[in-house]
Amino acid sequence: MMVLSFFGKIHDGISVFFAQRKLEALSSSFNEDRGMEVPERDVMEGHFVVFANKNQLTKRFVVDLHYLSDPVFLGLLERAKEEYGFKQRGPLVIPCHPQELENILARRKT
């Protein structure tokens, strides 16, 4: 029993380590590709930027703050927390296919 607990902790630690490395690689490529050290001019007050990233497909979205109360969008943020943790550096990356986020954002507009 104790051995299984030990290996479970090692597995969790390794998973977090590789998720953080993946996030760092994504963040640095976003920073290099998009010059993220300077705020983007298309982000109006009351909005924030997220990147949807899944299977090597990445897309940038400017999202209205009201989505922070949308249960479906909050589910995506929960996925990001599970995959990357709370210590994300750089842009907010959501581990979902860009089309999935587009569908969520379009649903709320109608």
Side-chain angles (χ1 to χ4, degrees):
M1 212 49 169
M2 205 165 132
V3 172
L4 291 177
S5 175
F6 173 74
F7 284 114
K9 288 180 181 180
I10 288 175
H11 177 269
D12 292 347
I14 290 171
S15 297
V16 168
F17 173 80
F18 283 111
Q20 288 173 339
R21 293 291 176 245
K22 180 180 175 184
L23 179 62
E24 288 171 7
L26 287 170
S27 294
S28 66
S29 69
F30 291 141
N31 290 342
E32 292 167 5
D33 294 345
R34 301 193 180 272
M36 294 298 284
E37 61 277 349
V38 177
E40 298 286 337
R41 297 181 197 269
D42 65 337
V43 182
M44 298 180 297
E45 187 174 327
H47 293 76
F48 60 101
V49 173
V50 299
F51 287 88
N53 178 269
K54 191 72 163 188
N55 299 331
Q56 305 300 325
L57 294 172
T58 303
K59 186 171 179 182
R60 179 179 179 271
F61 293 87
V62 178
V63 180
D64 192 290
L65 286 175
H66 75 265
Y67 284 97
L68 293 175
S69 63
D70 183 299
V72 178
F73 188 80
L74 290 174
L76 293 177
L77 293 179
E78 184 66 30
R79 268 199 253 170
K81 181 188 87 170
E82 289 170 4
E83 184 155 336
Y84 304 123
F86 284 114
K87 295 183 180 183
Q88 284 194 42
R89 284 184 258 156
L92 177 59
V93 180
I94 297 177
C96 75
H97 195 281
Q99 185 64 46
E100 180 182 359
L101 185 53
E102 283 178 12
N103 292 341
I104 292 168
L105 298 178
R107 178 185 55 84
R108 181 85 184 240
K109 287 182 182 177
T110 58

